[in-house]
């Protein structure tokens, strides 16, 4: 009977010990779990200000990108002036400063054509300032780029040769030169260069806007730095 009682006591103590170990294990695991976050928390850090050298690199890169874009365009035709020029050619020989009317040769002709004006963007200059977030673009003056005469539009209204004064191909070439010079001057007088410059400003602004955020930078395009 005594042995049976001893066995019962030993078994009870072992059960109590095992239960204590199990409970202690659960408690330790629970404490460790509470120390581990459910996810990786976002670490809030104060934004770092751009270092001067990084600002310089970004400025140089953006400036070079704009410069290359303008140079790729090269000569930009931005305005046209269409014309119809009439040439009244007349030639008479003289003797002792006296016109010999019977030698008078003349013709009346006309040609259509177009005068084109624009700007050479390879001469443009760019100044980008990170501190003020401003971009300055200096454009060269607009110029006449070409005068194209439509030879298919040729009209001859009259032609008369005087005695001893034949009309030659050189006379017609001189007439074409006269048309070129007259058309150029008329185009300038009618403001083709001003319109060409204004149109170039709009085109350049759109091009730079495709490369740079103009909500971040202000853009000024003109003939001089402000």
């Amino acid at each position: 009977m005594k042995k049976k009682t001893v066995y019962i006591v030993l078994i009870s103590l072992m059960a109590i010990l095992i239960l204590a170990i199990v409970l202690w294990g659960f408690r330790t695991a629970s404490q460790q779990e509470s120390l581990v976050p459910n996810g990786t928390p976002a670490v809030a850090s104060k934004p770092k200000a751009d270092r001067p050298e990084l600002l310089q690199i970004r400025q140089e890169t953006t400036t070079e990108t704009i410069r290359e874009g303008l140079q790729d365009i090269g000569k930009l035709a931005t305005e046209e002036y269409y014309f119809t020029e009439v040439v009244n050619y007349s030639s008479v020989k003289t003797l002792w400063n006296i016109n010999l009317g019977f030698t008078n040769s003349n013709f009346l002709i006309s040609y259509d054509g177009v005068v084109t004006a624009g700007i050479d963007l390879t001469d443009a200059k760019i100044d980008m300032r990170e501190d003020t977030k401003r971009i300055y673009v200096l454009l060269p003056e607009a110029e006449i780029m070409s005068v194209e005469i439509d030879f298919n539009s040729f009209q001859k209204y009259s032609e008369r040769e005087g005695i001893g004064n034949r009309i030659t191909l050189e006379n017609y070439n001189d007439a074409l030169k006269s048309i070129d010079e007259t058309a150029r001057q008329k185009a300038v007088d009618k403001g083709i260069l001003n319109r060409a410059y204004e149109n170039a400003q709009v085109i350049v602004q759109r091009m730079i806007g495709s490369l740079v955020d103009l909500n971040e930078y202000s853009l000024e395009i003109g003939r001089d730095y402000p």
Side-chain angles (χ1 to χ4, degrees):
M1 184 69 181
K2 288 183 179 181
K3 288 183 179 181
K4 185 176 180 180
T5 302
V6 172
Y7 287 143
I8 292 173
V9 172
L10 290 174
I11 291 171
S12 299
L13 290 174
M14 290 179 66
I16 292 171
L17 180 62
I18 292 171
L19 180 60
I21 293 172
V22 171
L23 291 176
W24 181 83
F26 275 122
R27 181 180 179 185
T28 302
S30 176
Q31 289 176 344
Q32 290 179 346
E33 187 176 285
S34 65
L35 295 175
V36 179
N38 293 327
T40 303
V43 178
S45 61
K46 184 178 181 181
K48 295 181 179 179
D50 288 335
R51 291 178 295 177
E53 60 269 25
L54 294 180
L55 289 174
Q56 182 67 22
I57 292 173
R58 185 170 66 182
Q59 176 177 335
E60 291 176 355
T61 301
T62 306
T63 302
E64 188 60 29
T65 300
I66 296 173
R67 182 179 292 107
E68 289 178 355
L70 295 177
Q71 290 180 344
D72 286 343
I73 295 175
K75 290 188 176 182
L76 177 66
T78 58
E79 183 65 11
E80 294 178 334
Y81 167 76
Y82 292 88
F83 65 85
T84 298
E85 286 298 327
V86 178
V87 176
N88 187 4
Y89 172 84
S90 179
S91 172
V92 62
K93 291 188 175 182
T94 61
L95 179 63
W96 299 316
N97 292 328
I98 300 174
N99 290 338
L100 302 178
F102 57 87
T103 66
N104 182 37
S105 296
N106 58 75
F107 57 77
L108 184 65
I109 63 172
S110 71
Y111 279 101
D112 297 335
V114 58
V115 179
T116 302
I119 288 180
D120 188 354
L121 293 179
T122 58
D123 294 330
K125 294 180 174 58
I126 302 97
D127 179 26
M128 181 176 176
R129 304 176 186 178
E130 278 289 345
D131 54 343
T132 56
K133 295 296 183 182
R134 302 176 80 178
I135 301 173
Y136 300 92
V137 179
L138 270 65
L139 297 180
E141 293 294 337
E143 59 185 16
I144 300 297
M145 291 186 166
S146 66
V147 178
E148 297 180 9
I149 297 175
D150 180 9
F151 295 103
N152 293 325
S153 68
F154 171 75
Q155 294 286 338
K156 182 166 65 175
Y157 304 102
S158 65
E159 181 182 82
R160 178 181 178 278
E161 288 186 341
I163 298 174
N165 189 16
R166 298 194 61 182
I167 295 174
T168 65
L169 180 60
E170 184 179 355
N171 299 141
Y172 278 98
N173 288 336
D174 289 340
L176 286 176
K177 292 179 182 178
S178 172
I179 289 175
D180 183 295
E181 294 171 359
T182 302
R184 284 174 182 267
Q185 189 57 52
K186 284 186 177 180
V188 172
D189 293 342
K190 292 182 179 295
I192 188 174
L193 296 181
N194 290 333
R195 294 193 301 275
Y197 193 91
E198 292 170 358
N199 293 340
Q201 286 179 303
V202 174
I203 294 172
V204 170
Q205 181 177 10
R206 291 175 180 172
M207 188 277 287
I208 294 177
S210 68
L211 301 173
V212 178
D213 184 1
L214 295 184
N215 291 322
E216 180 181 0
Y217 293 88
S218 64
L219 173 63
E220 295 186 30
I221 303 173
R223 295 177 173 86
D224 298 297
Y225 287 123

